[in-house]
Amino acid sequence: MATMFRYPVFPHLQGRSVMAEPDYLDGDCDELIKPKKLINPVKNSRNHQDLHRELLMNQKRGLAPQNKPELQKVLEKRKREQVLKAQKEEMEAHKKRSDLEIELMKRQQKLEQLELEQQKIDEEQENTPEFVKMKSNLRRTKQETDGEERTT
């Protein structure tokens, strides 16, 4: 053990580890029951292994779990909308537009509104419980099969 002194502080411990070595490692005592490593039931469960594998794959791909608090989502959305609005106003102030450009801007705004509505719908579907999604899927398949029976 090297220290700031010129001589070792504990010369009798030099070259050995600080932990005491167990006696059963010598191998002369075959009568002793050697300890085994305890198994962790959580880590051995299939669900835990699947979840761990999925998290590792998502980390490799760069996909982090998107479980942000609702307040943080709303604040980010507001900030993003404010930035977009400021950019639009800045662009409008810098140049005059012709009739064609005005029509194109209107179409672009309509497309952006449709995109925002689609994002809202996606967020609502994302937040709905899975059993509601499955129920709607079952309804759709039932309606499709009823429609096929009526046509035949």
Side-chain angles (χ1 to χ4, degrees), residues 86-141:
Q87 287 176 350
K88 285 181 186 178
E89 290 175 359
E90 203 174 296
M91 294 282 285
E92 289 175 5
H94 283 298
K95 60 181 180 180
K96 294 182 180 179
R97 294 192 172 88
S98 66
D99 293 336
L100 177 63
E101 290 175 339
I102 292 171
E103 284 298 318
L104 289 174
M105 286 299 294
K106 287 180 184 177
R107 287 187 184 183
Q108 184 180 6
Q109 288 174 354
K110 286 180 185 178
L111 288 174
E112 288 174 357
Q113 288 176 351
L114 290 173
E115 186 178 315
L116 287 174
E117 290 173 5
Q118 185 65 33
Q119 285 179 352
K120 288 179 185 177
I121 292 170
D122 290 344
E123 287 176 4
E124 289 174 3
Q125 289 178 351
E126 182 180 308
N127 293 336
T128 57
E130 189 163 345
F131 69 90
V132 174
K133 293 177 188 176
M134 295 306 293
K135 187 175 181 182
S136 65
N137 286 343
L138 289 174
R139 283 185 188 157
R140 268 192 248 122
T141 55

Side-chain angles (χ1 to χ4, degrees), residues 23-84:
D23 295 336
Y24 57 83
L25 290 179
D26 295 339
D28 13 308
C29 301
D30 292 330
E31 304 112 25
L32 293 177
I33 299 173
K34 296 182 180 166
K36 294 182 182 176
K37 185 176 181 182
L38 296 175
I39 55 174
N40 187 346
V42 173
K43 287 189 177 181
N44 283 346
S45 73
R46 191 77 185 149
N47 290 337
H48 182 274
Q49 291 174 354
D50 291 341
L51 179 64
H52 186 65
R53 188 177 306 115
E54 185 177 344
L55 287 172
L56 286 175
M57 291 299 292
N58 285 342
Q59 185 180 11
K60 285 181 185 177
R61 288 188 209 143
L63 302 174
Q66 298 296 329
N67 295 334
K68 293 182 181 178
E70 188 174 344
L71 178 63
Q72 188 176 0
K73 287 180 182 178
V74 170
L75 291 175
E76 287 177 358
K77 186 176 178 181
R78 279 187 188 172
K79 186 176 181 180
R80 187 174 41 236
E81 288 174 356
Q82 287 176 351
V83 169
L84 289 174

